[in-house]
Amino acid sequence: ETDTLSSFTMESSAAPPSPREGSPTATAAAGVARLRGFLERNKLGAYCERLIEQEYDDVDVLLMLSEPELEAMFHDIGAKPGARRKFAMALRDAREEGGVATLGSPAGKGEEEAE
């Protein structure tokens, strides 16, 4: 019994395998990375963990929120008035720029300008 228990403990403490590209875990990780980048570029990085805790874990989700849903999100994450304004401006700009396709990297922006 002790051997079984110790082998179970050893197996369960092993590092999880890294997510394969295209898997749901990899897709979720990419969404969180885009969210983190979006927030940091807009000086809202302090809200990243709170958003993830409330499962607002991808910029796509934020872009789809209606005004009442945004207000609920602001309440859920304890956003201060200035942060609320920054969020609103950043999301408006992202929508005007064509959504999340242009949010991921500065390279994406450069390619658009080159066309």
Side-chain angles (χ1 to χ4, degrees):
E1 256 182 64
T2 307
D3 290 320
T4 305
L5 181 59
S6 63
S7 67
F8 174 75
T9 304
M10 286 174 43
E11 287 175 16
S12 64
S13 65
S18 59
R20 283 186 274 174
E21 192 174 323
S23 72
T25 304
T27 302
V32 169
R34 286 187 323 152
L35 173 68
R36 190 175 307 280
F38 173 77
L39 294 172
E40 288 174 5
R41 280 189 303 278
N42 290 287
K43 297 180 177 34
L44 293 163
Y47 292 96
C48 190
E49 294 307 316
R50 287 184 245 175
L51 285 164
I52 293 168
E53 287 169 7
Q54 297 296 322
E55 297 188 22
Y56 297 105
D57 53 4
D58 194 322
V59 179
D60 287 334
V61 173
L62 299 182
L63 289 171
M64 291 187 292
L65 297 176
S66 66
E67 287 299 318
E69 291 170 324
L70 270 177
E71 288 301 320
M73 181 201 74
F74 294 149
H75 180 266
D76 292 344
I77 65 170
K80 295 178 181 180
R84 291 172 184 232
R85 186 70 188 130
K86 287 179 187 176
F87 268 111
M89 290 181 349
L91 292 170
R92 182 199 65 220
D93 291 348
R95 288 180 187 117
E96 288 175 2
E97 291 173 5
V100 290
T102 60
L103 295 176
S105 68
K109 248 184 171 176
E111 289 169 13
E112 285 178 10
E113 291 170 5
E115 289 179 8

